[in-house]
Amino acid sequence: MDNFEKNRDRWSRMSRQGREQETRKLKMLCNCPQCPSYNECADAKSDLAFCIIGKGTCSFEENGCICASCPVAQEWGLMHQYYCINGAELDVRGAGRETIEPGN
Ligand code: SF4
Ligand code: SF4
C-alpha cells in the first residue's frame, strides 16, 4: 500500500465532519492559486485541491503545473499533475470511478 492508498484508507474511515475538516486543510495548503494555469473562474468559485476533490466546472489551459512542489502532493503521495484538467489522483490512476466525497 503506497502513501496515497494509505491516505485514501484514512479518508474512508473519517466521519463527515472529519472530511470537512480535512478538506479545509487541503484547500489552505493547496498551491494552485500561485500556479500560472489557475484562473479567475476557479478563484471566483474557490475551487482548490483538485487532486483530491476532483475537477470543478471551470476550464483550464496548460500553462504549467506546480503540484509537484505542493505540500499536499508530498503528504498524499501524489504522482501526477494538472489535476484541474485531468481530475483527481484516484481517477487519474484509473482505480475506478469512485470519487472522494468532499467536505464543504
Ligand atoms: S497537489 Fe496540486 S491540486 Fe493538489 S492541493 Fe497541491 S497544488 Fe492543489
Ligand atoms: S492542478 Fe496543477 S495546473 Fe492545475 S491549477 Fe493546480 S497547480 Fe496549476
Side-chain angles (χ1 to χ4, degrees):
M1 185 181 280
D2 69 17
N3 209 25
F4 176 72
E5 290 165 337
K6 286 178 189 167
N7 275 294
R8 275 283 310 163
D9 187 52
R10 178 174 64 87
W11 181 286
S12 70
R13 286 185 276 102
M14 282 182 192
S15 64
R16 177 161 187 90
Q17 187 179 20
R19 290 182 187 183
E20 288 173 356
Q21 191 174 357
E22 181 76 5
T23 299
R24 283 195 293 275
K25 180 185 142 191
L26 292 171
K27 287 186 170 185
M28 281 177 55
L29 292 171
C30 179
N31 273 356
C32 289
Q34 285 82 54
C35 175
S37 298
Y38 199 67
N39 59 31
E40 288 181 6
C41 174
D43 188 41
K45 297 179 178 186
S46 298
D47 281 352
L48 294 162
F50 308 103
C51 54
I52 308 301
I53 295 171
K55 285 190 287 190
T57 54
C58 298
S59 297
F60 296 86
E61 292 181 8
E62 290 191 11
N63 294 320
C65 179
I66 59 172
C67 285
S69 63
C70 176
V72 175
Q74 286 155 28
E75 181 183 338
W76 277 70
L78 305 182
M79 300 171 67
H80 299 87
Q81 59 180 356
Y82 285 110
Y83 297 106
C84 58
I85 295 170
N86 298 323
E89 176 81 7
L90 184 68
D91 297 324
V92 174
R93 287 188 181 203
R97 299 197 61 78
E98 180 190 359
T99 56
I100 295 175
E101 182 185 349
N104 295 321

